[in-house]
Amino acid sequence: MQSEKTETAGESGYLISLRNVSKRFPGVLALDNCQLDLLPGEVHALMGENGAGKSTLMKILSGVYQKDEGSIFVDGREVDIDGPRAAQELGIGIIHQELNLMNHLSAAQNIFIGREPRGRFGMFLDEETLNRQAAGIFARMRLKLDPRTPVGELTVARQQMVEIAKALSFNSRVLIMDEPTAALNNAEIDELFRIIRDLQAQGVGIVYISHKMDELRRISNRVTVMRDGKYIATVPTEETPIDTIISMMVGRQLDGARPVVANAADNKVVLEVKGLSRGHAIRDVSFQLRKGEILGFAGLMGAGRTEVARAIFGADPLDAGEIFIHGGKAVIKSPSDAVAHGIGYLSEDRKHFGLATGLDVKANVVMSSMNRFLKKGLFLDQAAIRNTAQGYVRQLAIKTPSIDQPARLLSGGNQQKIVIAKWLLRDCDILFFDEPTRGIDIGAKSEIYKLLNTLAEQGKAIVMISSELPEVLRMSHRVLVMCEGRITGELSAAEASQEKIMQLATQRASAVAAPTH
């Protein structure tokens, strides 16, 4: 449970103050001396790129994680928050981007789950009191919703309102909202903002995590920017230009000089997609990919980049759209169809979707091409498998004691190379690299970059999805930027910059318009 400490005069007046908060995970300093202040009745926007530390900081405030260093003050008193219940008792509630509701229960039952009012002798649920209390919270929110309605029958926007009501049922004075409008349309956003303003008027302080710049002007009073796990600045929203906020978000120098990339503009188009759509995740996406080109896909979390790659690879079904490979229309209903058309996909989660970590190096290399190594259709040609695997170990400089080494014992960079070898053996012309250097060290990153450039020089067409802007800028011939499932802009290598990419990745208004090509 939380414990109160001495009051500090400098923190009084704030609902919440975080001071010099740090958090370490194995091998990673996730937060480094971060701070945040929240006033009563304030909407305080928390902004930063993917991986900036926003969610980690909020998980510490809501008791999911415990800080390693620093202080937390509530109403001017220093407290320890050792779990979610401690946070709730302090009046701190969080509405996660992924809603945590039970569809078969009613709205009221979801709000008070585990705390249901009981009738005489405490044996039976008091449904009448339950529904009346829920209706009272909805009335406070000026929300017209029958508390008896099963949550599974509600829209996503209404489910989010139930989550807010659930937080308010704990008498929360602080609400943390993580990307609350990600799945809402404009009318639903207007309704959410009305409720937020009503809560402001009641003195509730709101920490609002969002990447959408247009929303900041409408709803927030102040903005705190984080970058690479560090606190950068807190500025008043009205007085601060959006370009200034973007510069604070990306304001790092690029690592090393950007290499000159070969011009692939005149090369043959090997992949073209037209009007790809899948619910809210992919909205009318069209682009071309040329032979020998590295096409960078940039955007913030939830922009739809991975969803596009998975749809083209046949891992997820499409609602609409066409795919053309080497000029011919391709019907891709499954990953095996995509592989047959010469498409390879290196997932961002290589351990779950790229490798069989319990198998050895040679088995992983030949896994997608096993039919090639069958003798008389019955027996595996072990000598051919060994020779092939050893060839790719040499070609890609995979550091392993032997091809019999279990893949799980190799470093992240070498595991990634094994996945690349698997698709090279399939002789794929089109390769999707989803976060190709995530979780690997700087030296291994450099080797992956060299390998990608070599593949492009050999004529492979590459789509590289990356959340690291320096990586996108370093490697791409062109950059496509996505926001809310749409392509919001295209930049050549010459004109691309961190600021331009971030503007396109956060300008939600652009996502409503037609893509610029």
Side-chain angles (χ1 to χ4, degrees), residues 99-117:
L99 301 180
N100 187 26
L101 298 170
M102 297 184 184
N103 288 341
H104 65 288
L105 297 182
S106 70
Q109 289 166 340
N110 269 280
I111 290 170
F112 292 103
I113 192 164
R115 303 173 292 137
E116 300 89 349

Side-chain angles (χ1 to χ4, degrees), residues 358-405:
L359 299 181
D360 58 27
V361 171
K362 65 179 184 298
N364 274 280
V365 170
V366 304
M367 187 183 300
S368 295
S369 308
M370 200 64 78
N371 288 341
R372 295 190 190 183
F373 300 95
L374 287 175
K375 291 193 296 186
K376 299 180 181 180
L378 293 173
F379 305 104
L380 288 173
D381 187 341
Q382 294 294 341
I385 288 174
R386 296 189 71 84
N387 288 336
T388 300
Q390 286 170 341
Y392 280 106
V393 166
R394 287 192 297 269
Q395 178 184 339
L396 303 182
I398 299 172
K399 295 180 177 66
T400 177
S402 79
I403 58 174
D404 300 309
Q405 179 83 340

